[in-house]
């Protein structure tokens, strides 16, 4: 829903010190002037902020709410604002990996403003789209209300508390208390969504006062039913004329009607309008109409109210799946948490649009708001882009998942918050489902049945046109008949499943034929952009080496509850009745960094795209399955590897045939087979045993996921390629014609910083954002995949809003002027200035050619008044010396530093064990080769190394050891290496070689039993 925005003469002032006279107020940004009636003023500039307590253990004190309090020393901020993202990641103040190691605490906001005499006699309220969390709002020293839930909007009536003489300042004071942990993910802290003043005449449409439905749609006509609430706070009965007019996207009136109602206090009027030959809102043509509501009394307009809506029908059928406007369609969905990477939770329409545009390019047509009601900006942009929405209410009910989460407030607030969620989104054509919660502990208890009734009743009272579901991990096995889990399903229209096997999905469909089913969370495969490990294994181990904590992008790093992306897609694809899936997750998010729980790993690994918005290989897997435009994508993403290595090369494609070339020489053609589901839908897949489902015990492919049509196979093509530098090219063909290519080239030495902006122009309003990608390239423009240079950004004509690189393990600040490259890339998010002209971004790296990009900025009608903050540089901290490193560490308690701690009971190991998952058995294996190193930080002479190797059931002596010394540019193999092998576990094995000068030494260790549990290598002591 959108509301008409018109101006009111309002001025912002700095809050005066107690007893001080108010100085001349500066002009406050106001909207375009309009006739009498509704006026809306965004509350963005002029706020003062103080972090009173970084923990939030203390309660809010009243002195900050006093209108005479001197806040001149407080920091000036613009709203939306998230104070947590401004802080340096830390293990203090109650932070956890789940919160991304960002603090919360107790913060205060104050805003002073004057109102002109024209506002006297009007109704004035303040609206907040979201404050996280536990907010108390004061106006001129009076507490006007509290709102605990951080993810729903709220409003308070300020009429009678405000000065309207044009001289006396009014002071809004908002306390925000975010004690951690309050969510299982990064929540952000503060007034992180938009706020506004709404000024109306006594006869007006109240907040969320229109409800638009389309009960009858055909090609010839659509019936639009409009229910309008009218509020009369004049104190006298009034004859109110209610006008409804529908306008299409081109501004043409397509239907109108009016009626008169006698309104004493409040009334509701219903209109039915007919739109001829309606243009439907759809995935590919998301056309929207606008309802213009006008109230008049005695011929004078008292209110104008605008409501965006769309004409469309949708259906979820237990046997036929999902359809939009009568056309069957799979939900090709993703789950998204609400943070926007380096911007934190502070909502920006530009950032939301960028995220959703990237998702749309992957083929996404659906979004689940995980696990809370969304910002209005997200709803609006989904409407614009043709993305349907599952809007979710809660992550817990009475039983919380964290000490300070919503469970504290559920009993008092759940109906109000569920109602607010629905009222804020019910007129959106994008919204097709309401979810009462996600993985709710109470949902399978007897007490939870009554809790569910309260939420369901509140939702259905506000909107009865959409199905109700829950997202659940409680139904991986059939519940007992008559149990609370069974009775809960009787209350719902559909069931969202989190990480169910195909076997359990089929069992639920048979047992509950009334329910439609879909995957509310699918896959949860983890990956790091540009990182690859052991494609021959379906379930690889995590690297616990500090600085290298990452997971493989071969779709093969899984937690105990998760499944590969390929498995999740096939499970959904093969069942016509399955409504679709929501991939967990579309984009990496701050917090919940599974599989790691250690500082400074602060972002998740689940996304198909990283926090900087750079696609990972998982993005291309789903693009190959969800889009029709011909494509092919090679992984690994780069062609820089160890000489002598054999590289497993995959191709994701949506065309039948791909040929691979290395420097023009064909390495062979690989082809998908054309197959059909049991209901006749075509798809591409190889035909081979996949080994990805231990629950399949019979049929032609035991141990592999087998489709209902009896087939098994993979969604990628593969080659094993002996590495040599050059050009690797994939050529995709359909019917013998080349329709897509992908090319990888070996990168040379770093040479240049290349900058690319995601738009050519933007408004000079002080708020609009441009996203600038920085790439470290060689002299020929090829991205250097291992580049980790520190990039210094400088902006003229604007300001930095944040920097990122997509790396999950990083202690770098997001609000800084520097960022290290990660796999050759970084991102600068740049905010426009307030003067039209040119915005220029410069990126400098020591020793490389400087990068520059310019973007045109155009005049804006309204500009930000709050100065942009200047960000300092934030170079990574230098390691303590001597510093031990390794290519791989198999467990969090066997890190490289243990080689140098002098304790023989501790040590480094590359051995790992992966627990069994629902589909895969446990796996223990040895890596063929790994290296360890020691950096002394100064040049010295090396000629001897003593190594204590552990020999036990899980570790063996290596088959071979090689040594190399860093000469300032690279590692150079030593000469004359002699190895005197120890004969006892942990006794010194001594390496001697010709003396050589350097600052680091590296040992490369070859397993004596690669692939076997006993073949891992452990070093208890390393003496250089």
């Amino acid at each position: 829903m959108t509301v008409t925005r018109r101006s009111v003469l309002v001025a912002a002032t700095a809050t005066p010190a107690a007893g001080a006279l108010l100085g001349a107020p500066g002009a406050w940004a106001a909207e375009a002037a309009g006739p009498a009636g509704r006026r809306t003023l965004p509350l963005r500039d002029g706020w003062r902020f103080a972090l009173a307590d970084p923990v939030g253990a203390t309660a809010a004190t009243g002195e900050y709410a006093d209108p005479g309090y001197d806040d001149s020393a407080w920091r000036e901020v613009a709203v939306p604002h998230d104070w947590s993202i401004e802080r340096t990641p830390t293990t203090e103040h109650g932070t956890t990996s789940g919160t991304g190691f960002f603090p919360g605490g107790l913060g205060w906001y104050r805003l002073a403003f004057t109102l002109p005499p024209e506002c006297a006699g009007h109704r004035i309220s303040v609206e907040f789209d979201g404050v996280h969390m536990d907010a108390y709002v004061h106006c001129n020293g009076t507490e006007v209300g509290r709102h605990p839930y951080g993810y729903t909007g709220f409003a308070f009536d300020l009429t009678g508390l405000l000065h309207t003489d044009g001289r006396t300042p009014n002071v809004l004071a908002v306390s925000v208390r975010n004690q951690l942990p309050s969510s299982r993910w990064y929540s952000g802290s503060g007034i992180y969504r938009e706020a506004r003043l709404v000024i109306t005449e006594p006869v007006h449409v109240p907040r969320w006062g229109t409800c638009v439905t389309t009960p009858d749609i055909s090609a010839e006509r659509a019936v639009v039913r409009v229910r309008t609430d009218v509020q009369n706070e004049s104190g006298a009965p009034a004859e109110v004329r209610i006008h409804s007019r529908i306008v299409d996207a081109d501004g043409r009136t397509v239907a109108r009607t009016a009626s008169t109602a006698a309104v004493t206090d409040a009334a509701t009027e219903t209109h039915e309008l007919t739109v001829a030959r309606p243009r439907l809102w759809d995935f590919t043509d998301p056309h929207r109409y606008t309802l213009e509501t006008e109230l008049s009394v005695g011929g004078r307009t008292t209110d104008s109210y605008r409501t965006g809506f769309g004409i469309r029908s949708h259906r979820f059928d237990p046997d036929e799946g999902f359809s939009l406007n009568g056309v069957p369609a799979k939900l090709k969905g993703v789950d998204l948490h609400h943070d926007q990477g380096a911007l934190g939770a502070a909502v920006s329409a530009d950032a939301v649009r960028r995220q959703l545009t990237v998702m749309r390019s992957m083929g996404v047509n659906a979004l689940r708001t995980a696990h809370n009601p969304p910002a209005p900006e997200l709803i609006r942009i989904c409407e614009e882009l043709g993305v349907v929405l599952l809007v979710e209410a809660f992550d817990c009910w009475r039983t919380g998942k964290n000490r300070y989460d919503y469970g504290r407030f559920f009993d008092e607030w759940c109906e109000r918050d569920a109602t607010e969620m629905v009222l804020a989104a019910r007129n959106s054509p994008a919204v097709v489902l309401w979810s009462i919660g996600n993985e709710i502990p109470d949902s399978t208890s007897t007490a939870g049945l009554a809790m569910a009734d309260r939420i369901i009743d509140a939702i259905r009272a506000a909107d009865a046109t959409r199905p109700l579901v829950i997202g659940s991990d409680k139904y991986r096995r059939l519940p007992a008949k008559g149990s609370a889990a069974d009775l809960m399903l009787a209350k719902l229209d559909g069931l969202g499943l989190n990480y169910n096997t195909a076997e359990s999905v089929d069992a639920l469909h048979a047992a509950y034929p009334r329910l439609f089913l879909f995957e509310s969370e699918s896959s949860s495969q983890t990956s790091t952009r540009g990182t690859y490990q052991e494609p021959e294994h379906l379930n690889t181990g995590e690297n616990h080496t500090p600085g290298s904590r990452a997971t493989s992008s071969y779709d093969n790093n899984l937690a105990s509850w998760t499944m590969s992306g390929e498995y999740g897609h096939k499970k959904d694809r093969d069942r016509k009745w399955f409504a679709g899936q929501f991939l967990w997750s579309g984009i990496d998010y701050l917090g919940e960094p599974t599989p790691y729980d250690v500082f400074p790993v602060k972002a998740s690994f689940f996304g198909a795209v990283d926090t900087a918005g750079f696609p990972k290989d998982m993005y291309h897997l789903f693009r190959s399955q969800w889009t029709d435009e011909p494509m092919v994508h090679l992984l690994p993403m780069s062609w820089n590897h160890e000489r002598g290595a054999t590289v497993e090369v995959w191709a994701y494609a949506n065309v039948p045939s791909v040929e691979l070339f290395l420097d023009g020489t064909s390495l062979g053609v690989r082809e998908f087979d054309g197959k059909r589901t049991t209901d006749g839908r075509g798809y591409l897949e190889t035909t081979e045993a996949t080994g990805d489902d231990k629950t399949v015990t019979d049929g032609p492919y035991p141990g592999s996921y087998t489709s209902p049509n009896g087939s098994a196979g993979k969604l990628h093509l593969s080659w094993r390629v002996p590495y040599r530098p050059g050009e690797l090219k994939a050529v995709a063909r359909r019917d013998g014609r080349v329709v897509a290519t992908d090319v990888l080239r070996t990168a040379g030495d770093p040479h240049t910083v290349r900058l690319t902006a995601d738009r050519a122009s933007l408004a000079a309003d002080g708020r609009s954002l441009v996203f600038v990608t920085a790439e470290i390239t060689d002299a020929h423009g090829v991205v250097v995949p291992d580049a980790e240079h520190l990039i210094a950004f400088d902006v003229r004509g604007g300001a930095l809003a944040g920097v990122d690189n997509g790396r999950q393990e990083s202690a770098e600040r997001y609000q800084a002027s520097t960022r290290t490259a990660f796999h050759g890339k970084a991102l600068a998010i740049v905010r426009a200035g307030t003067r039209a002209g040119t915005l220029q971004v410069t990126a400098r790296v020591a020793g490389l050619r400087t990068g520059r990009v310019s973007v045109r900025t155009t005049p804006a009608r309204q500009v930000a008044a709050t100065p942009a903050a200047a960000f300092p540089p934030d170079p990574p901290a230098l390691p303590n010396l001597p510093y031990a490193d390794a290519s791989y560490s198999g467990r969090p308690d066997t890190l490289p530093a243990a080689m140098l701690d002098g304790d023989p009971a501790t040590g480094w190991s590359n051995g790992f064990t992966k627990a069994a998952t629902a589909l895969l058995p446990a796996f223990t294996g040895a890596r063929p080769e790994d290296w360890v190193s020691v950096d002394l930080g100064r040049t010295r002479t090396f000629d001897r190394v003593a190594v204590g190797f552990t020999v036990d059931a899980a570790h063996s002596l290596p088959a071979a050891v090689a040594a190399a010394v860093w000469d300032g540019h690279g590692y150079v193999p030593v000469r004359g290496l002699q190895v005197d092998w120890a004969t006892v576990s942990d006794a010194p094995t001594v390496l001697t070689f010709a003396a050589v000068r350097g600052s680091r030494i590296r040992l490369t260790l070859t397993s004596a039993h690669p692939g076997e549990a006993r073949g891992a290598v452990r070093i208890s002591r390393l003496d250089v």
Side-chain angles (χ1 to χ4, degrees):
M1 176 185 295
T2 56
V3 178
T4 303
R5 298 184 181 277
R6 294 175 179 149
S7 75
V8 61
L9 299 176
V10 183
T13 73
T15 305
L21 294 175
L22 179 64
W28 203 358
E31 300 281 325
R38 177 176 303 265
R39 297 171 182 180
T40 302
L41 181 78
L43 300 181
R44 293 175 179 146
D45 292 308
W47 292 90
R48 297 280 183 168
F49 170 75
L51 183 60
D53 177 3
V55 176
T58 58
T61 57
E63 65 171 331
Y64 295 155
D66 184 341
Y69 177 81
D70 181 5
D71 61 14
S72 58
W74 289 19
R75 187 158 58 92
E76 187 175 0
V77 299
V79 164
H81 174 248
D82 173 9
W83 81 68
S84 289
I85 202 67
E86 300 172 343
R87 312 285 305 282
T88 301
T90 179
T91 56
E92 299 177 352
H93 309 310
T95 69
T96 65
S97 63
T99 67
F101 296 108
F102 286 97
L106 171 65
W108 275 89
Y109 295 85
R110 286 169 56 90
L111 177 69
F113 57 94
T114 58
L115 291 172
E118 297 97 290
C119 292
H122 286 68
R123 308 300 301 183
I124 304 175
S125 62
V126 62
E127 294 183 352
F128 296 91
D129 291 338
V131 179
H132 201 282
M133 62 181 299
D134 202 9
Y136 288 82
V137 178
H138 305 78
C139 179
N140 292 332
T142 298
E143 182 183 309
V144 295
R146 178 196 188 196
H147 190 79
Y149 195 27
Y151 298 109
T152 49
F154 57 98
F156 296 125
D157 186 4
L158 307 182
T159 309
L161 296 174
L162 294 166
H163 307 293
T164 57
D165 58 9
R167 299 183 306 276
T168 309
N170 298 286
V171 177
L172 280 177
V174 183
S175 69
V176 185
R177 192 181 189 192
N178 184 21
Q179 293 176 274
L180 300 179
S182 59
S183 295
R184 291 185 299 121
W185 53 89
Y186 176 85
S187 64
S189 304
I191 306 176
Y192 73 102
R193 294 179 182 171
E194 293 277 2
R196 64 194 65 84
L197 282 182
V198 178
I199 303 170
T200 65
E201 295 201 22
V203 177
H204 62 276
V205 178
R207 184 168 180 261
W208 310 134
T210 57
C211 179
V212 183
T213 57
T214 53
D216 185 9
I217 303 172
S218 68
E220 292 75 29
R221 60 190 287 274
V223 174
V224 179
R225 183 173 296 151
V226 177
R227 194 174 72 238
T228 304
D229 296 331
V230 180
Q231 198 86 28
N232 180 5
E233 296 178 278
S234 67
E239 290 289 315
V240 181
R241 187 74 170 167
I242 301 105
H243 304 258
S244 294
R245 182 168 75 108
I246 296 175
V247 179
D248 70 9
D250 297 323
R252 295 180 297 112
T253 298
V254 296
R256 67 194 324 159
T257 191
S259 61
T260 301
V263 183
T264 301
D265 299 313
T268 298
E269 189 77 359
T270 299
H271 290 163
E272 285 201 351
L273 301 92
T274 299
V275 176
R277 296 180 297 280
R279 186 173 165 188
L280 303 185
W281 185 93
D282 206 284
F283 294 129
T284 57
D285 182 21
H287 182 266
R288 291 173 297 160
Y289 292 89
T290 300
L291 168 69
E292 296 183 350
T293 303
E294 187 173 279
L295 307 184
S296 59
V297 176
R300 186 179 69 86
T301 299
T302 65
D303 197 6
S304 297
Y305 196 85
R306 294 166 64 90
T307 306
F309 73 99
I311 298 175
R312 60 101 180 97
S313 65
H314 74 286
R315 176 177 171 81
F316 287 89
D317 186 277
D319 295 316
E320 300 297 323
F322 175 67
S323 60
L324 183 64
N325 296 322
V327 179
K330 283 283 189 179
L331 294 178
K332 303 172 183 177
V334 292
D335 297 274
L336 289 183
H337 276 312
H338 75 146
D339 77 76
Q340 293 157 30
L343 302 175
V347 70
S348 159
D350 286 341
V352 173
R353 183 172 287 104
R354 178 177 184 253
Q355 286 186 327
L356 289 174
T357 299
V358 172
M359 292 293 92
R360 207 69 174 96
S361 71
M362 191 172 82
V364 167
N365 66 10
L367 170 63
R368 173 178 177 235
T369 67
H371 303 289
N372 47 263
E377 289 82 355
L378 184 137
I379 297 173
R380 184 181 73 248
I381 293 166
C382 283
E383 292 175 7
E384 294 173 4
L385 297 180
V387 176
V388 299
L389 276 166
L390 185 166
V391 175
E392 193 152 69
F394 308 115
D395 192 47
C396 69
W397 296 345
R398 184 180 298 149
T399 301
K401 299 176 181 178
N402 292 295
R403 181 177 180 183
Y404 297 110
D405 66 14
Y406 186 71
R408 297 179 291 157
F409 312 115
F410 176 84
D411 280 332
E412 181 181 354
W413 289 88
C414 71
E415 286 99 342
R416 280 179 280 183
D417 286 320
T419 299
E420 173 71 16
M421 173 188 78
V422 175
L423 294 181
R426 67 182 176 183
N427 291 323
S428 172
V431 178
V432 295
L433 289 170
W434 304 118
S435 169
I436 63 174
N438 171 71
E439 297 183 354
I440 303 295
D442 295 312
S443 66
T444 51
S445 69
T446 300
L449 297 174
M451 298 179 207
D453 284 340
R454 294 173 61 189
I455 303 168
I456 290 169
D457 289 348
I459 291 175
R460 287 189 170 144
D463 174 53
T465 68
R466 296 169 175 90
L468 269 68
V469 300
I470 193 170
S472 184
D473 58 351
K474 311 294 185 186
Y475 295 95
R476 294 172 187 166
R477 293 183 177 85
L478 293 179
K481 289 298 180 182
S483 66
D486 174 61
L487 296 175
M488 182 64 68
L489 296 183
K491 301 176 182 294
L492 300 170
D493 303 299
L495 175 61
L497 303 171
N498 291 1
Y499 316 113
N500 280 53
T501 65
E503 181 182 46
S504 68
V505 165
D506 291 337
L508 282 164
H509 179 56
Y512 294 93
R514 183 190 65 83
L515 288 176
F516 66 84
L517 302 178
F518 63 98
E519 193 90 2
S520 40
E521 293 181 22
S522 70
S523 183
S524 267
Q525 176 265 9
T526 62
S527 62
T528 298
R529 176 176 54 82
T531 297
Y532 304 92
Q533 182 181 325
E534 298 166 348
E536 68 275 13
H537 296 149
L538 294 173
N539 198 9
T540 60
E542 292 81 42
N543 190 350
H544 291 275
T545 300
S548 299
R549 295 181 178 105
T551 58
S552 174
S553 285
Y554 275 118
D555 195 16
N556 62 344
N557 184 263
L558 306 173
S560 60
W561 68 89
T562 66
M563 299 151 188
S564 72
E566 291 202 15
Y567 179 94
H569 177 77
K570 292 185 291 187
K571 175 182 62 179
D572 169 35
R573 175 200 68 197
D574 289 338
R575 291 158 176 82
K576 176 185 178 182
W577 47 266
F578 206 58
Q581 65 175 307
F582 292 90
L583 174 67
W584 190 272
S585 59
I587 300 173
D588 284 346
Y589 51 93
L590 303 183
E592 207 171 40
T594 305
Y596 302 101
D597 186 15
V598 60
F599 185 85
V601 190
K602 65 176 184 291
S604 80
F605 294 73
F606 297 121
V609 172
D610 67 24
T611 55
F614 302 146
K616 308 186 207 175
D617 295 291
M618 181 62 60
Y619 165 95
H620 297 282
L621 164 62
F622 278 86
R623 188 163 69 100
S624 74
Q625 303 303 310
W626 284 352
T627 66
D628 295 324
E629 183 179 353
M631 58 79 61
V632 62
H633 168 77
L634 288 172
L635 69 153
M637 285 186 180
S638 65
W639 195 239
N640 282 62
H641 303 280
E642 294 287 335
R643 290 186 180 273
T646 297
V647 182
E648 176 122 350
V649 176
W650 289 8
Y652 292 131
N654 58 5
V655 294
S657 175
V658 177
E659 187 171 8
L660 190 66
F661 295 87
L662 182 56
D663 290 334
T665 300
S666 177
L667 302 180
V669 176
R670 302 288 187 268
E671 294 185 337
F672 290 112
D673 293 326
K675 302 180 181 181
R676 292 199 172 273
T677 61
T678 53
D679 60 290
R681 291 171 290 118
Y683 63 95
L684 296 175
E685 184 181 82
T686 67
T687 299
E688 58 189 303
T690 54
D692 58 353
D693 191 349
K694 67 185 181 184
T695 69
V696 177
T697 57
D698 55 12
Y701 302 102
S704 298
Y705 171 81
T706 305
S707 297
N709 63 9
S711 176
K714 298 177 179 178
L715 303 181
H716 66 269
L717 305 170
S718 60
W719 297 256
R720 288 181 58 79
V721 182
Y723 174 71
R724 71 170 186 265
E727 178 187 271
L728 191 71
K729 182 176 183 178
V731 177
R733 296 184 178 93
R734 176 180 287 148
D735 299 326
R737 185 170 61 89
V738 175
V739 292
T741 61
D742 191 22
V743 178
L744 305 176
R745 295 183 178 90
T746 303
D749 293 334
H751 181 270
T752 299
V753 187
R754 180 172 63 208
L755 297 185
T756 307
D758 73 334
R759 57 201 295 189
S761 67
L762 71 164
D765 58 6
R767 296 186 179 90
S768 295
L769 300 177
V770 58
F771 294 80
V772 178
T773 298
E775 297 170 304
I776 307 297
T777 72
D778 68 8
H780 302 287
V782 179
V783 174
V784 180
D786 59 351
E788 295 191 354
H789 299 71
L790 183 67
I791 305 173
F793 294 100
D794 179 67
V795 178
R796 295 187 179 184
L800 283 168
V803 289
D804 197 358
N805 59 14
R807 187 174 194 161
Q808 294 108 338
E809 181 189 21
S810 173
E812 292 176 278
R813 291 170 57 94
Y814 286 119
Q815 295 200 350
S817 62
T818 57
R819 192 70 172 189
T820 54
F822 181 57
H823 290 303
K825 289 188 173 187
L827 177 76
I829 307 172
V830 181
R831 181 172 286 113
T834 55
R835 292 185 178 180
T838 300
L839 183 155
Q840 184 179 77
V841 183
T842 303
R844 294 180 173 87
V845 171
L848 303 186
R849 180 176 291 177
T850 297
R852 291 183 176 85
V853 69
S854 295
V855 177
R856 182 170 56 91
T857 57
T858 59
R861 192 161 56 92
Q862 294 153 18
V863 299
T866 304
F871 295 164
D874 185 39
L878 296 175
N880 294 323
L881 299 172
Y883 177 72
D885 199 4
S887 58
Y888 183 82
S889 301
R891 288 169 29 181
D893 60 348
T894 60
L895 303 183
M899 298 185 295
L900 306 181
D901 65 3
D903 183 355
T906 64
W908 164 86
S909 170
N910 66 353
F912 69 89
T913 298
K914 286 290 291 183
T917 73
L919 299 173
L920 301 174
F923 174 75
T924 301
R927 292 163 57 85
E929 185 178 275
D930 274 303
W931 57 260
V932 298
S933 69
V934 177
D935 182 356
L936 300 176
R938 59 182 176 84
T939 300
R940 55 155 291 174
T941 299
F942 295 97
D943 60 5
R944 180 183 185 276
V945 180
V947 189
F949 290 112
T950 300
V951 178
D952 58 21
H955 301 93
S956 304
L957 289 172
V961 180
V965 173
W966 182 264
D967 68 355
H969 302 282
Y971 281 103
V972 178
V974 301
R975 293 181 291 107
L977 177 64
Q978 299 289 327
V979 182
D980 183 11
W981 293 99
T983 58
V984 178
S985 178
D986 296 312
T989 289
V990 179
L991 287 65
T992 56
F993 43 87
V996 60
R997 299 281 290 173
S999 61
R1000 311 175 203 166
I1001 187 167
R1002 185 169 75 180
L1003 305 181
T1004 300
L1005 315 167
T1006 303
S1007 174
H1009 308 284
E1012 299 180 35
R1014 60 178 177 152
V1017 178
R1018 183 180 187 271
I1019 298 176
S1020 56
R1021 183 164 181 169
L1022 180 61
D1023 293 320
V1024 179

